[in-house]
C-alpha cells in the first residue's frame, strides 16, 4: 500500500478505487457521518478525504450540498442536514465565496464594518448549525486571492482584497476561540505552502465548478483527516528519537561528546540544533519525547550534557540506550509510558532501522526522513502526526505529569504494603458534575482514553453539553492531585437514569493514574448521586476491545454482580450493583468536593 502521509496527488488518484476497496474491507471501522457544505464543487476533496479516513479506521458516510448552497442549506433549509444526523459538518469555502468586499476607496474607519458584515454572514451559519444540528463544525478560513489588483498595496490599503481577507481571517480566529464547536482549517497557511500557482484551477472551475487543483485537494484532505483524528483522539502523542546523526551529528561513542555536531559554529551543527529546538517545541505543547538508541546508556546520556544541546535529560520521558533491537525497546517504552504504539512516531536516520521497526510494530508511524537533518522537521510536520483539536492545560503539562509518575513509581518501591504507599501519596480529589469550563477537556479525554474505558464509546463536545444539562443524567468528572503534583482532570462517569436504575454509558480514566484507587472514589460519588435521585440499582456493561482488556474485571472488583444480557455482543459482560446499604469504598483519597443532591 502506498504511504498516504507522503504520496502525491497523481499516485492517490491512480490507485483510489483499489485503495477504497482494500481499506473498506477492514473490520471494525467506526462510522463517521460528515456533511460537506461547499462553496464550490466538493466531489474531489470528498473522494480524497474518504481514503484517508478509511486508513485511519473510520467508515465515512458523506452528505454533500449542491454547488454553492453552503449558506442556504445551513440557514434557510437545514432539514436535510438535521435528518442526516452528521457527527461533524465541514464548510468548504474559499476567497471566491466572500460577498462583502470593500470598495477600493474604502477608508480605515470603514474597513471594520465590512469585516463585521462578512463575519456576521458566517456567524448565521454557525449559529444555525449549533442550534439545529448541534455537532462539531470545521470551517475554512481564506486563502489570498489569485490577483492582487493593487500590487503590494493590496496588503496595506483598506480597500485591498488581501488586506480584507487577512482581517477577516483574524476575525474568524477570534470567533473560533469563543465557540468550542467551531474549528478552523487554516486554508490560508496550507495554500501558502502549496503556492497559489498550484492552488486554483480556473479551467476546471469555469467548466465544472471544481475550484482547486488535485495537489490542493490532497493537502486539504490531509489536513481534514488530521483534524478529524484529533477530534476523535487519534493524534500521535510520543516522538521516539534516535541519537547519532538524528539529534546530533556524528557518533558519540566514537567521536566523544566534544566532537559531536551541535551548536551554532557550522551550518550542519546549526541544523541539528534547529531540529532539537523543533523537538523541544513539540514537548512544550504536550508531545512526549523518548530515546531509542543502539548505544551504551552512559555514553548516550552524556550527549545531553553538551553545553550547546537544546534538549536535556529532563525533557526525555523514557530513555532506552542499549544494544537490543529497537523494535523491542519501543515496545518497552510503550509499556513504561502505558500508551499504545499507535500513538508513537519513530525518527531514525538509518533506513534499515526504520524498515525493521515498521515491519515489526504495526501502528508505529515511521516517516522516511532521509539522512539530511535540514529536512527532518519538515517531513514530520508535513504528515501532521501531532495535530491538536484543542490545547488544554493538561496537554501543555503532559510531559511534567509523566515525569511525576516516574517519581511515584520510585516511591512505590520503598513500601512493602501497597495501601501504605497510596496513603503516602497524600491524594486529594475533586469530583463534581460537569462544568462548562471543563467540557473541552472532558470531550478530549473521552476520545483519547482507550485502555481504561469500559465501553470505548466516543462523545463529541456537543453531546457532552447535552449530558451536562440533562436532569436524568449523572455526569461526573474527577480531578486528582497528590504530593508530587496535579494530575488534572483524569476520570469521567456518565450514568443515565431509567426509573429506579442508572445505566452507566461511559466510565473511563486516564492510564497515568491507574491503580491509585480513583475508581472507588468515582463509584462513591456515583452511588451518592444515584441514591439522591431515588435510584436503587446501578448497571454497567463491559464491551471488550483490542485495548481495554485491563478493565475486564473492573465491575467485579468493585462488588458488582453479573446480570447476563443475551443481546450484548460476543465477549461483552453485564453487571449490576444494589445500592441498598451502600458502604463507601474509597479509603485512600481525600475527596475535596462534589455537589450533594
Amino acid at each position: 500500500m502506498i504511504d498516504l502521509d507522503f504520496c502525491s496527488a497523481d499516485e492517490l488518484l491512480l490507485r483510489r478505487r483499489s485503495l477504497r476497496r482494500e481499506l473498506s474491507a477492514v473490520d471494525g471501522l467506526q462510522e463517521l457521518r460528515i456533511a460537506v457544505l461547499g462553496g464550490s464543487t466538493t466531489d474531489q476533496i470528498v473522494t480524497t478525504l474518504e481514503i484517508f479516513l478509511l486508513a485511519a479506521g473510520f467508515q465515512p458516510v458523506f452528505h454533500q450540498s449542491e454547488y454553492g448552497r453552503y449558506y442556504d442549506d445551513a440557514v434557510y433549509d437545514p432539514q436535510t442536514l438535521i435528518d442526516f444526523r452528521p457527527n461533524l459538518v465541514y464548510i468548504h469555502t474559499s476567497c471566491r465565496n466572500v460577498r462583502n468586499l470593500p470598495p477600493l476607496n474604502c477608508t480605515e474607519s470603514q474597513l471594520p464594518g465590512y469585516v463585521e458584515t462578512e463575519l456576521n454572514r458566517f456567524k448565521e451559519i454557525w449559529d444555525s448549525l449549533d442550534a439545529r444540528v448541534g455537532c462539531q463544525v470545521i470551517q475554512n478560513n481564506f486563502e489570498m486571492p489569485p490577483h492582487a489588483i493593487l500590487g503590494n498595496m493590496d496588503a496595506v490599503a483598506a480597500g485591498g482584497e488581501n488586506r480584507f481577507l487577512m482581517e477577516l481571517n483574524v476575525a474568524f480566529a477570534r470567533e473560533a476561540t469563543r465557540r468550542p464547536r467551531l474549528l478552523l482549517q487554516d486554508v490560508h497557511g496550507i495554500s501558502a505552502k502549496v503556492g497559489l500557482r498550484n492552488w486554483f484551477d480556473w479551467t476546471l472551475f469555469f467548466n465544472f465548478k471544481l475550484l482547486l487543483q488535485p495537489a490542493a485537494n490532497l493537502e486539504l484532505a490531509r489536513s481534514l483527516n488530521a483534524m478529524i483524528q484529533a477530534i476523535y483522539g487519534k493524534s500521535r502523542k510520543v516522538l521516539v528519537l534516535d541519537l547519532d546523526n538524528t539529534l546530533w551529528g556524528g557518533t558519540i561513542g566514537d567521536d566523544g561528546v566534544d566532537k559531536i555536531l551541535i551548536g551554532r559554529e557550522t551550518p550542519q551543527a546549526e541544523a541539528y540544533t534547529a531540529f532539537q529546538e523543533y523537538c523541544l517545541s513539540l514537548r512544550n505543547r504536550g508531545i512526549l519525547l523518548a530515546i531509542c538508541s543502539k548505544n551504551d546508556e552512559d555514553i548516550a546520556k552524556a550527549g545531553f550534557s553538551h553545553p550547546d544541546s537544546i534538549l536535556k535529560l529532563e525533557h526525555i520521558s523514557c530513555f532506552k540506550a542499549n544494544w537490543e533491537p529497537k523494535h523491542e525497546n519501543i515496545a518497552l517504552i510503550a509499556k513504561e509510558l502505558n500508551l499504545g504504539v499507535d500513538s508513537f512516531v519513530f525518527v531514525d536516520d538509518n533506513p534499515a532501522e526504520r524498515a525493521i521497526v515498521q515491519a515489526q510494530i504495526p501502528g508505529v508511524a515511521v516517516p522516511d526522513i532521509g539522512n539530511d537533518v535540514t529536512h527532518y522537521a519538515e517531513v514530520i510536520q508535513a504528515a501532521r502526526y501531532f495535530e491538536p483539536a484543542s490545547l488544554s492545560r493538561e496537554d501543555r503539562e503532559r510531559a511534567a505529569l509523566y515525569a511525576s509518575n516516574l517519581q511515584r513509581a520510585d516511591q512505590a518501591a520503598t513500601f512493602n504494603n501497597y495501601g501504605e504507599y497510596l496513603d503516602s501519596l497524600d491524594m486529594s480529589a475533586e469530583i463534581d458534575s460537569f462544568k462548562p469550563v471543563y467540557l473541552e477537556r472532558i470531550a478530549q479525554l473521552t476520545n483519547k482514553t482507550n485502555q481504561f474505558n469500559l465501553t470505548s464509546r466516543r462523545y463529541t463536545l456537543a453531546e457532552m453539553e447535552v449530558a451536562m444539562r440533562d436532569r436524568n443524567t449523572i455526569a461526573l468528572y474527577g480531578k486528582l492531585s497528590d504530593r508530587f503534583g496535579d494530575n488534572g482532570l483524569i476520570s469521567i462517569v456518565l450514568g443515565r437514569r431509567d426509573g429506579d436504575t442508572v445505566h452507566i454509558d461511559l466510565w473511563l480514566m486516564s492510564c497515568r493514574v491507574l491503580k491509585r484507587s480513583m475508581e472507588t472514589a468515582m463509584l462513591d460519588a456515583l452511588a451518592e448521586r444515584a441514591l439522591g435521585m431515588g435510584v436503587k440499582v446501578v448497571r454497567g456493561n463491559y464491551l471488550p476491545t483490542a485495548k481495554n482488556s485491563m478493565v475486564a474485571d473492573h465491575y467485579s472488583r468493585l462488588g458488582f454482580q453479573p446480570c447476563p444480557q443475551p443481546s450484548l455482543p460476543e465477549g461483552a459482560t453485564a453487571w449490576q450493583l444494589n445500592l441498598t446499604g451502600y458502604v463507601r469504598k474509597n479509603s485512600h483519597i481525600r475527596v475535596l468536593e462534589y455537589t450533594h443532591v
Side-chain angles (χ1 to χ4, degrees):
M1 182 183 293
I2 63 175
D3 187 343
L4 292 177
D5 291 329
F6 302 102
C7 70
S8 68
D10 289 342
E11 287 178 294
L12 188 59
L13 288 171
L14 184 65
R15 297 194 53 191
R16 187 181 65 205
R17 288 191 176 91
S18 62
L19 283 170
R20 187 180 185 279
R21 283 195 301 271
E22 184 179 345
L23 293 169
S24 297
V26 175
D27 292 332
L29 296 176
Q30 177 183 348
E31 183 179 281
L32 184 64
R33 304 178 68 80
I34 304 174
V36 181
L37 307 184
S40 57
T41 302
T42 57
D43 290 347
Q44 285 192 358
I45 191 166
V46 164
T47 55
T48 306
L49 177 60
E50 180 182 32
I51 301 300
F52 282 99
L53 291 176
L54 286 168
F58 295 104
Q59 179 64 68
V61 179
F62 290 100
H63 162 78
Q64 298 182 69
S65 71
E66 294 182 12
Y67 166 73
R69 287 187 56 83
Y70 63 97
Y71 180 92
D72 306 74
D73 284 0
V75 178
Y76 292 141
D77 188 18
Q79 192 58 49
T80 301
L81 275 179
I82 295 169
D83 294 341
F84 178 66
R85 296 178 291 105
N87 300 110
L88 63 90
V89 174
Y90 168 47
I91 306 173
H92 180 62
T93 46
S94 74
C95 63
R96 280 193 59 88
N97 300 121
V98 173
R99 293 286 177 264
N100 296 284
L101 290 171
L104 288 178
N105 63 354
C106 179
T107 65
E108 287 292 329
S109 62
Q110 293 170 333
L111 179 59
Y114 285 97
V115 173
E116 187 69 19
T117 298
E118 187 65 21
L119 175 64
N120 285 339
R121 193 166 69 89
F122 280 88
K123 286 169 69 173
E124 289 176 7
I125 296 173
W126 305 331
D127 288 342
S128 179
L129 292 174
D130 197 35
R132 301 174 182 179
V133 183
C135 68
Q136 197 78 52
V137 174
I138 297 177
Q139 167 74 58
N140 287 353
N141 66 9
F142 300 104
E143 69 276 88
M144 292 299 99
H147 310 295
I149 300 301
L150 298 178
N152 287 305
M153 283 295 295
D154 216 86
V156 178
E161 188 174 352
N162 278 11
R163 167 77 184 278
F164 176 78
L165 290 174
M166 287 190 289
E167 299 274 0
L168 185 59
N169 282 345
V170 172
F172 270 39
R174 287 175 176 153
E175 194 66 24
T177 64
R178 294 191 283 267
R179 295 174 180 259
R181 295 184 188 176
L182 177 64
L183 295 177
L184 285 187
Q185 178 167 233
D186 185 19
V187 170
H188 177 242
I190 297 168
S191 63
K193 291 184 178 71
V194 173
L196 290 183
R197 289 181 180 176
N198 302 311
W199 191 256
F200 300 110
D201 190 322
W202 297 112
T203 301
L204 281 176
F205 178 74
F206 291 122
N207 281 281
F208 308 108
K209 301 307 178 189
L210 293 165
L211 181 63
L212 304 181
Q213 295 188 33
N217 280 316
L218 176 63
E219 290 309 312
L220 285 182
R222 280 202 178 106
S223 169
L224 284 169
N225 174 56
M227 294 180 76
I228 292 168
Q229 289 200 57
I231 291 169
Y232 286 90
K234 293 190 176 187
S235 293
R236 307 277 172 166
K237 302 177 181 70
V238 184
L239 181 60
V240 183
L241 296 155
D242 175 46
L243 294 179
D244 295 335
N245 296 310
T246 300
L247 281 186
W248 52 66
T251 304
I252 193 168
D254 297 334
D255 302 330
V257 176
D258 296 338
K259 298 292 180 64
I260 60 174
L261 293 174
I262 192 76
R264 311 283 182 186
E265 302 305 315
T266 69
Q268 193 174 13
E270 190 169 9
Y272 282 106
T273 297
F275 182 58
Q276 286 203 13
E277 288 172 337
Y278 170 75
C279 294
L280 183 59
S281 68
L282 288 176
R283 193 257 186 194
N284 288 341
R285 53 141 288 201
I287 303 304
L288 303 181
L289 302 182
I291 297 299
C292 183
S293 172
K294 285 188 175 177
N295 237 313
D296 291 324
E297 184 172 326
D298 291 341
I299 293 173
K301 287 183 174 180
F304 293 89
S305 66
H306 191 290
D308 290 325
S309 181
I310 301 298
L311 290 175
K312 304 299 181 184
L313 284 176
E314 61 262 28
H315 298 139
I316 309 302
S317 296
C318 193
F319 199 106
K320 297 294 179 188
N322 51 49
W323 299 101
E324 300 303 317
K326 288 194 175 182
H327 66 275
E328 294 181 5
N329 278 322
I330 289 174
L332 290 174
I333 292 171
K335 185 176 180 181
E336 289 185 20
L337 295 178
N338 211 1
L339 291 169
V341 293
D342 57 356
S343 64
F344 282 37
V345 177
F346 174 61
V347 171
D348 194 314
D349 70 296
N350 188 323
E353 296 288 4
R354 295 198 299 264
I356 292 170
V357 168
Q358 195 163 35
Q360 295 298 318
I361 314 183
V364 175
V366 186
D368 183 0
I369 63 165
N371 56 13
D372 183 349
V373 66
T374 62
H375 297 305
Y376 291 175
E378 176 188 349
V379 172
I380 296 168
Q381 198 66 24
R384 296 180 173 272
Y385 296 121
F386 303 113
E387 183 85 15
S390 61
L391 191 60
S392 65
R393 181 180 68 87
E394 285 83 0
D395 289 323
R396 295 190 296 272
E397 297 177 358
R398 182 176 291 113
L401 293 172
Y402 275 85
S404 297
N405 263 359
L406 293 177
Q407 291 180 286
R408 294 181 186 98
D410 291 340
Q411 177 78 1
T414 65
F415 287 87
N416 293 322
N417 181 289
Y418 192 71
E420 290 181 4
Y421 160 66
L422 291 179
D423 290 337
S424 77
L425 292 176
D426 191 24
M427 293 182 288
S428 60
E430 174 188 325
I431 303 174
D432 205 345
S433 298
F434 284 6
K435 297 176 181 176
V437 68
Y438 294 139
L439 278 183
E440 276 198 40
R441 170 59 182 167
I442 288 168
Q444 183 188 63
L445 186 62
T446 301
N447 288 299
K448 281 186 176 181
T449 304
N450 292 303
Q451 291 176 282
F452 197 115
N453 190 331
L454 277 297
T455 58
S456 291
R457 290 183 179 137
R458 307 303 187 193
Y459 290 79
T460 64
L461 179 63
E463 290 168 331
M464 286 303 187
E465 288 179 333
V466 171
M468 180 179 68
R469 295 191 295 266
D470 187 350
R471 300 187 65 175
N472 284 316
T473 296
I474 300 175
L476 299 174
Y477 71 85
K479 300 176 69 178
L480 184 66
S481 300
D482 60 35
R483 65 189 183 89
F484 291 107
D486 184 358
N487 290 281
L489 196 154
I490 44 77
S491 188
I492 299 166
V493 175
L494 268 182
R496 173 176 40 84
R497 179 187 179 185
D498 182 9
D500 64 356
T501 301
V502 161
H503 299 272
I504 300 174
D505 290 331
L506 181 70
W507 191 331
L508 61 84
M509 189 166 68
S510 171
C511 293
R512 67 172 179 262
V513 295
L514 292 177
K515 300 182 179 180
R516 301 275 298 281
S517 197
M518 186 63 180
E519 58 269 35
T520 62
M522 294 297 290
L523 178 59
D524 286 347
L526 174 65
E528 181 159 341
R529 296 296 179 87
L531 287 166
M533 297 169 70
V535 167
K536 298 178 180 178
V537 175
V538 174
R539 289 184 176 172
N541 297 334
Y542 164 67
L543 305 179
T545 69
K547 295 184 177 182
N548 73 352
S549 60
M550 65 177 300
V551 291
D553 63 346
H554 171 77
Y555 284 119
S556 62
R557 285 188 289 106
L558 291 178
F560 284 67
Q561 299 299 315
C563 57
Q565 294 181 20
S567 60
L568 288 177
E570 183 178 356
T573 53
W575 303 83
Q576 70 177 28
L577 178 68
N578 191 325
L579 294 181
T580 304
Y582 180 84
V583 177
R584 286 177 174 266
K585 301 180 183 299
N586 163 49
S587 59
H588 299 291
I589 299 174
R590 185 173 66 259
V591 178
L592 299 179
E593 63 174 273
Y594 60 83
T595 306
H596 297 267
V597 176

